Amino acid sequence: MTVTRRAAVLGSPVAHSLSPVLHRAAYDELGLADWSYDRFEVDEAALPGFFEELGPEWAGLSLTMPLKRAVIPLLDGISDTAASVDAVNTVVLTDDGRRLGDNTDIPGMVAALREHGIEEVGSAAILGAGATASSALAALARICTGEIVAYVRSEARAAEMREWGERLDVDVRTADWADAAEALRAPLVIATTPAGTTDALAAVVPERPTTLFDVLYDPWPTELAARWSMFGGAVVSGLDLLVHQAVLQVEQMTGRSPAPLEAMRHAGEKALAAR
């Protein structure tokens, strides 16, 4: 088989990434036998050199941490969505040699929520204040009509979230992580923290929880998500997000639409079950 088009995910660490599984499943379903998708361990220092070696066979790149901001100076342009949070997770390499950046995490979050029936909410809570939390804020800017409360561990993080709120023109209030149990009563809770961080909150899930969007997918379910489901609440998983943002990446990189959402989801579920 002669490969004529290439794509890959870059990051550090990147060995855990499910992106190759999802993108390859899409290529198989779309009949793109001459496409390949790989993963490369690339940190911020190595990124410029990697870009210098890209040939005309390259169609696109997926970027994970810590490259989502480091890549921006290497690009010829970025979308308004990516600019809104200073983060690029998708690079499309055009036939005329341009390198264009986008952020599919934000519309991916919106699409994942919509798939679970969440079109609009009156208020929401965010657990955490990292890069994913800023994307969550940008997603909520599209669907939340009222206040968003971000539960954070430090005043520095709180200030960052308030700045993001001003930039995205959303109403953000910050609260101390010690009061995070209050977040669980919001109509929509988005957990953006690393594995294990929300485990203690599982013991205080309300009797009638609403919707939890937990951006983790491995290990899954998290203790919070398991308890939430046990009490009858709706749960949107990190795999939902990963698949929806990857669908948008495949469409941009290949020019083929719609990307095969269900085939990609099935491949992701199978890969996670095998871990």
Side-chain angles (χ1 to χ4, degrees):
M1 180 183 71
T2 301
V3 172
T4 59
R5 300 312 307 270
R6 297 186 69 184
V9 59
L10 314 181
S12 183
V14 79
H16 68 286
S17 175
L18 274 183
S19 291
V21 170
L22 302 182
H23 284 252
R24 290 169 187 168
Y27 298 166
D28 287 345
E29 193 73 12
L30 293 169
L32 300 176
D34 56 349
W35 281 66
S36 72
Y37 190 101
D38 303 294
R39 64 164 67 89
F40 292 94
E41 182 80 16
V42 177
D43 61 15
E44 292 163 287
L47 188 60
F50 189 94
F51 265 68
E52 287 176 9
E53 298 297 321
L54 294 174
E57 73 278 13
W58 282 90
L61 300 168
S62 307
L63 301 169
T64 185
M65 298 306 289
L67 305 179
K68 294 184 180 183
R69 293 199 170 109
V71 74
I72 293 175
L74 304 176
L75 303 177
D76 297 304
I78 65 174
S79 68
D80 290 344
T81 302
S84 73
V85 290
D86 283 342
V88 166
N89 77 327
T90 307
V91 176
V92 175
L93 304 159
T94 66
D95 291 339
D96 60 4
R98 289 178 300 154
R99 300 165 176 172
L100 304 178
D102 193 14
N103 186 310
T104 64
D105 285 332
I106 295 166
M109 283 186 176
V110 174
L113 287 166
R114 184 174 294 129
E115 186 179 46
H116 285 76
I118 308 297
E119 300 275 352
E120 184 178 283
V121 290
S123 61
I126 296 175
L127 298 174
T132 306
S134 63
S135 290
L137 260 186
L140 287 171
R142 303 182 181 192
I143 67 166
C144 186
T145 59
E147 184 182 62
I148 300 164
V149 184
Y151 291 80
V152 301
R153 292 188 180 277
S154 70
E155 178 51 39
R157 288 293 201 180
E160 285 179 14
M161 288 299 282
R162 289 193 294 268
E163 287 173 14
W164 282 118
E166 290 178 13
R167 182 165 171 173
L168 293 162
D169 195 26
V170 292
D171 183 14
V172 179
R173 177 168 64 84
T174 55
D176 192 273
W177 184 262
D179 299 320
E182 296 174 6
L184 307 188
R185 301 189 180 279
L188 171 62
V189 182
I190 304 182
T192 71
T193 52
T197 308
T198 62
D199 287 357
L201 294 174
V204 291
V205 171
E207 287 187 10
R208 295 182 180 178
T210 49
T211 300
L212 170 69
F213 191 164
D214 196 324
V215 303
L216 295 173
Y217 61 84
D218 187 17
W220 187 262
T222 62
E223 289 191 27
L224 179 59
R227 185 80 169 179
W228 199 275
S229 293
M230 187 186 307
F231 278 43
V235 175
V236 185
S237 75
L239 183 61
D240 292 321
L241 167 59
L242 194 67
V243 170
H244 277 283
Q245 65 82 28
V247 160
L248 297 170
Q249 289 185 334
V250 168
E251 291 174 353
Q252 290 189 31
M253 293 177 190
T254 67
R256 300 280 294 273
S257 183
L261 172 69
E262 290 308 322
M264 295 168 71
R265 190 201 312 274
H266 177 70
E269 290 171 344
K270 185 177 178 181
L272 285 176
R275 288 187 175 181

